[in-house]
């Protein structure tokens, strides 16, 4: 012992290294339900999904007017596809409509969904009113907007001049018709995608925003650094639905413009309808149907694979 205290010898530290197998470091896989749980859905999908596609694929190799027995025609219908100028034009119009719908629906839905996820009561009331288009049928929405956009008697005749269209002719002008159709379709489906973003935004832990506030991050910075990364998987899922859904728009365009003026809004599903149920060429219409399925499936796979969505590892199923 000394005047400064008691000298205590340091205990020699003994470190033990334990080798842990790499497999044990991986997150434990959760037990998922067996195949029997998915059997009803698989049977349902086979009957109403796989079987119709197989039948349409068979019809694409036949000549059939909708009556009688289809006759085998080999690759005749498929060889006619490159020579169909209307089909190539329809593919281009479909691609443009898909792009317009994604550019309109995704930012609007994302912002509205994040806003609606707030706890304020007024947001809940306004969100309820905003989701009303989800309760209406596509035909009712198309007919309503057809009346509103009428250049003679609709609101377009009165309000068109405020957006640079003095005559209010949105659907009858080939340079505006596709934009008008995209706006109507977006008005119908933005509430659905807003609902997806609202549900996902409410799953983001509030502690992340609290820490950001302590660090001095403002609202826009929090949105960019927290909200957007946390909603990444929802953005991808919503985008897949928008892109694939854009390939199936038919009744809205049929009622609004019937593909016109001219062929300015004739998308591929409408061209398929014209070939099959106006021209009674079911074999060639089946070729267009198979093409739609192939394009939709390819786009879905590309989006999922290119964004890494297929490697998603979440604590919640589907989130």
């Amino acid at each position: 012992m000394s005047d400064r205290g008691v000298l205590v010898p340091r205990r020699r530290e003994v470190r033990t290294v334990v080798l842990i197998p790499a497999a044990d470091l991986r997150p434990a896989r959760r037990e998922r339900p067996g195949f029997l749980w998915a059997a009803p859905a698989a049977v349902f999908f086979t009957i109403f999904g796989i079987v119709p596609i197989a039948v349409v694929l068979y019809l694409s190799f036949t000549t059939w007017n909708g009556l009688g027995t289809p006759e085998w025609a080999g690759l005749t219908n498929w060889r006619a596809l490159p020579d169909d100028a209307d089909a190539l034009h329809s593919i281009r119009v479909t691609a443009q409509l898909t792009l317009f719908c994604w550019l309109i629906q995704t930012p609007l839905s994302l912002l509205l969904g994040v806003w609606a996820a707030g706890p304020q009561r007024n947001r809940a009331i306004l969100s309820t009113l905003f989701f009303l288009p989800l309760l209406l049928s596509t035909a009712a929405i198309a007919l309503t907007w057809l009346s509103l956009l009428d250049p003679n008697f609709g609101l377009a005749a009165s309000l068109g001049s405020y957006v640079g269209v003095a005559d209010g002719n949105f659907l009858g002008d080939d340079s505006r018709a596709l934009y008008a159709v995209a706006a109507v379709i977006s008005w119908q489906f933005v509430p659905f995608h807003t609902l997806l973003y609202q549900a996902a935004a409410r799953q983001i832990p509030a502690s992340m925003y609290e820490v950001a506030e302590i660090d001095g991050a403002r609202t826009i910075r929090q949105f960019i650094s927290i909200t957007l990364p946390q909603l990444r998987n929802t953005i991808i899922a919503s985008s897949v639905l928008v892109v694939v859904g854009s390939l199936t728009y038919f009744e809205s365009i049929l009622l609004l413009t019937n593909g016109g003026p001219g062929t300015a809004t004739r998308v591929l599903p409408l061209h398929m309808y014209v070939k099959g149920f106006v021209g009674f060429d079911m074999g060639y219409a089946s070729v267009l149907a198979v093409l739609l399925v192939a394009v939709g499936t390819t786009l879905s796979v590309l989006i999922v694979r290119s964004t890494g969505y297929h490697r998603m590892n979440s604590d919640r199923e589907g989130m």
Side-chain angles (χ1 to χ4, degrees):
M1 177 181 293
S2 65
D3 297 339
R4 298 179 180 178
V6 179
L7 295 177
V8 179
R10 289 185 177 180
R11 182 177 297 176
R12 185 174 184 182
E13 296 181 357
V14 179
R15 297 181 179 179
T16 304
V17 178
V18 179
L19 294 177
I20 302 176
D24 296 341
L25 297 176
R26 298 170 185 168
R29 296 189 60 181
R30 291 172 295 173
E31 293 294 333
R32 296 176 180 271
F35 176 76
L36 289 179
W37 289 73
V43 172
F44 188 85
F45 180 73
T46 301
I47 295 175
F48 295 100
I50 301 298
V51 173
I53 291 175
V55 172
V56 170
L57 181 61
Y58 166 73
L59 290 177
S60 68
F61 296 100
T62 65
T63 300
W64 188 40
N65 61 3
L67 299 174
T69 303
E71 297 181 0
W72 185 259
L75 296 175
T76 303
N77 294 323
W78 287 93
R79 291 196 182 102
L81 181 61
D83 298 330
D84 186 358
D86 289 337
L88 301 179
H89 172 75
S90 300
I91 293 173
R92 185 167 59 252
V93 173
T94 304
Q96 291 175 342
L97 182 63
T98 302
L99 179 63
F100 294 157
C101 288
W102 187 86
L103 290 176
I104 296 173
Q105 294 183 36
T106 299
L108 278 179
S109 303
L110 176 61
L111 295 175
L112 288 172
V114 173
W115 175 82
Q120 291 82 0
R121 182 173 298 178
N122 62 335
R123 299 190 185 192
I125 296 174
L126 292 175
S127 298
T128 303
L129 297 175
F130 182 69
F131 292 145
L132 283 180
L134 288 177
L135 306 177
L136 304 178
S137 68
T138 301
I141 291 174
L143 292 175
T144 300
W145 277 100
L146 183 62
S147 299
L148 293 174
L149 295 176
D150 190 297
N152 298 311
F153 308 104
L155 287 177
S158 304
L159 304 179
S161 58
Y162 294 100
V163 292
V165 184
D167 57 357
N169 188 11
F170 290 91
L171 297 176
D173 189 297
D174 55 0
S175 63
R176 306 179 193 129
L178 192 60
Y179 297 105
V181 168
V184 172
I185 292 173
S186 299
W187 184 84
Q188 178 182 4
F189 290 104
V190 161
F192 169 74
H193 295 280
T194 299
L195 200 61
L196 297 180
Y197 287 115
Q198 182 190 24
R202 287 182 173 173
Q203 301 301 317
I204 302 175
S207 58
M208 300 180 71
Y209 294 103
E210 293 171 358
V211 172
E213 287 183 1
I214 294 174
D215 291 341
R218 298 185 176 182
T219 304
I220 296 178
R221 184 63 180 175
Q222 293 178 19
F223 178 78
I224 296 174
S225 300
I226 298 176
T227 305
L228 280 181
Q230 292 296 315
L231 295 180
R232 176 174 174 270
N233 292 325
T234 306
I235 294 173
I236 297 170
S238 174
S239 298
V240 171
L241 293 176
V242 171
V243 171
V244 176
S246 298
L247 301 176
T248 63
Y249 295 148
F250 165 71
E251 59 269 41
S252 298
I253 301 174
L254 178 68
L255 294 172
L256 285 171
T257 63
N258 196 20
T263 57
T265 58
R266 179 181 286 194
V267 292
L268 194 55
L270 185 60
H271 185 59
M272 178 185 65
Y273 166 80
V274 171
K275 288 293 183 182
F277 294 95
V278 178
F280 298 103
D281 189 354
M282 298 295 179
Y284 184 71
S286 299
V287 171
L288 300 177
V290 173
L291 181 64
L292 268 176
V293 173
V295 171
T297 305
T298 303
L299 287 177
S300 300
V301 173
L302 285 177
I303 294 174
V304 170
R305 301 291 296 185
S306 62
T307 57
Y309 185 76
H310 63 291
R311 296 190 299 270
M312 180 182 64
N313 186 16
S314 174
D315 294 332
R316 298 181 177 88
E317 293 286 350
M319 297 295 293

